[in-house]
Amino acid sequence: MGEHPPNSSRAPPFRLTGLPGLETSQHWMFLPLGVLYTVSIVGNALILFIIKEEQSLHQPMYYFLSLLSINDLGVSFSTLPTVLATFCFHVRGINFDSCMAQMFFIHLFSFMESGILLAMSFDRYVAICNPLRYATVLTDARVVHMGLSIIIRSFCMVFPLPFLLKRLPFCKANVLSHAYCLHPDLIRLPCGDITINNVFGLFIVISTFGLDSALIVLSYVLILRSVLAIASKEERLKTLNTCVSHICAVLIFYVPMVGVSMAAHYGRQAPKYVHTLMSLVYLFVPPMLNPVIYSIKTKEIRRRLHKILLGSKF
């Protein structure tokens, strides 16, 4: 019997946390969380249905929106089991492999969302800066290739994370800060050297979120320059209006992410439930608001939604 460091196979189950310090009164979270999940799942499913049924929406912009809706459904379903178990049924334990699987899918969909938002910004750039070439640049085949590239890149970035964690000894209390498994939370728990994990984690954040956000900003700088060259004020506003939904989607994805990061680094004195609530906003708000924004701002989606909700006679 050799001396082996404790590893994942012998690690005790991780303990999920609801709202730290409010465990006895957090049952009220069932209602807002239920509303968030319902709006997110029903809203994104409706967007997919409408785009499939509405022939006029069979365009690159809406293909990317379909991918965004599928991705948002993935985010919702990857957090749903443990969030419901923690807040509704007070089941806190999760075994190592289940935790690794959940972490993988949460981060996979998060990286994919960043890539999809970048692809959507490229779509807006081509539509506004090179409108005559739009049909030849964004062909159906190219949209498929871009979608596959986003999926493959995200998978390659996230795939090593569970294995890098699995090689480490876990000998602490294994109490997580959230009702789901996230890499920055898990990386605090091992007893061994986590240098490789930290370096790789920083690399994938910079090469996905960092690069994508920089390219999105660049695309909008070029879009703005092109729009300002339009003589008519009405035409300028009309052109910019086609970007409003995407700009909102970018802001509701990146602003909470920056907020969570800033709170982790500079808000150490804040109560723990503040960090938990901010992470809930980061994971729950974009999947809920994206279908709402696009339903409000897209005339064809709004009209079809009106028919579905109020009956075909309208």
Side-chain angles (χ1 to χ4, degrees):
M1 302 290 282
E3 293 280 330
H4 295 293
N7 56 30
S8 63
S9 62
R10 281 179 284 172
F14 293 108
R15 184 171 171 79
L16 300 164
T17 305
L19 291 176
L22 301 174
E23 285 84 0
T24 56
S25 59
Q26 66 183 14
H27 54 272
W28 60 267
M29 284 291 289
F30 171 77
L31 187 60
L33 288 174
V35 170
L36 286 170
Y37 274 121
T38 302
V39 173
S40 174
I41 292 168
V42 173
N44 284 296
L46 277 172
I47 291 284
L48 288 170
F49 173 76
I50 290 168
I51 291 173
K52 177 181 176 292
E53 294 296 313
E54 197 73 37
Q55 197 67 33
S56 62
L57 299 179
H58 293 180
Q59 305 170 37
M61 177 182 172
Y62 298 106
Y63 295 149
F64 290 130
L65 177 56
S66 297
L67 194 55
L68 183 65
S69 290
I70 292 169
N71 190 79
D72 284 342
L73 285 171
V75 173
S76 296
F77 285 122
S78 60
T79 59
L80 182 62
T82 54
V83 168
L84 285 182
T86 303
F87 285 104
C88 303
F89 304 108
H90 307 293
V91 177
R92 302 285 173 78
I94 181 171
N95 66 45
F96 185 91
D97 290 332
S98 297
C99 194
M100 291 301 104
Q102 185 181 51
M103 178 198 73
F104 173 85
F105 283 110
I106 289 175
H107 289 296
L108 174 71
F109 291 124
S110 188
F111 289 141
M112 278 179 59
E113 183 137 355
S114 180
I116 294 164
L117 291 172
L118 175 59
M120 293 173 92
S121 73
F122 178 68
D123 169 89
R124 291 298 82 208
Y125 164 75
V126 177
I128 293 169
C129 299
N130 294 286
L132 298 178
R133 296 188 59 210
Y134 184 80
T136 54
V137 171
L138 281 165
T139 61
D140 287 353
R142 191 157 288 157
V143 170
V144 171
H145 289 151
M146 289 171 72
L148 288 174
S149 299
I150 291 165
I151 295 167
I152 292 166
R153 181 193 73 161
S154 303
F155 179 85
C156 291
M157 291 294 182
V158 181
F159 185 70
L161 290 180
F163 299 100
L164 287 173
L165 279 167
K166 201 163 189 172
R167 68 187 179 86
L168 294 167
F170 284 81
C171 51
K172 296 182 185 177
N174 287 2
V175 178
L176 300 176
S177 305
H178 309 290
Y180 36 79
C181 300
L182 296 175
H183 184 260
D185 199 17
L186 286 161
I187 203 64
R188 301 179 301 103
L189 302 177
C191 310
D193 184 8
I194 58 170
T195 305
I196 293 173
N197 301 67
N198 282 331
V199 170
F200 183 70
L202 183 62
F203 164 73
I204 61 176
V205 167
I206 291 172
S207 57
T208 51
F209 299 138
L211 180 62
D212 291 353
S213 58
L215 291 173
I216 289 169
V217 169
L218 175 62
S219 71
Y220 273 101
V221 168
L222 297 173
I223 286 169
L224 197 58
R225 191 177 71 173
S226 181
V227 168
L228 291 174
I230 300 171
S232 165
K233 182 183 177 182
E234 289 74 19
E235 282 298 313
R236 286 202 296 266
L237 291 173
K238 186 179 176 182
T239 304
L240 281 175
N241 194 48
T242 64
C243 301
V244 170
S245 298
H246 178 253
I247 292 169
C248 290
V250 169
L251 290 175
I252 63 174
F253 177 72
Y254 280 105
V255 170
M257 182 196 298
V258 172
V260 169
S261 178
M262 295 289 282
H265 286 93
Y266 304 110
R268 298 184 190 278
Q269 305 305 316
K272 285 187 177 180
Y273 66 81
V274 172
H275 297 270
T276 305
L277 285 171
M278 289 188 72
S279 72
L280 285 171
V281 169
Y282 165 57
L283 282 174
F284 285 67
V285 171
M288 181 196 71
L289 283 186
N290 283 336
V292 173
I293 290 165
Y294 278 94
S295 297
I296 292 169
K297 291 297 297 177
T298 308
K299 185 171 65 177
E300 294 88 345
I301 293 176
R302 194 167 64 241
R303 188 174 63 238
R304 188 66 184 242
L305 195 58
H306 191 263
K307 282 184 180 181
I308 292 169
L309 295 176
L310 300 179
S312 57
K313 63 181 179 180
F314 290 95

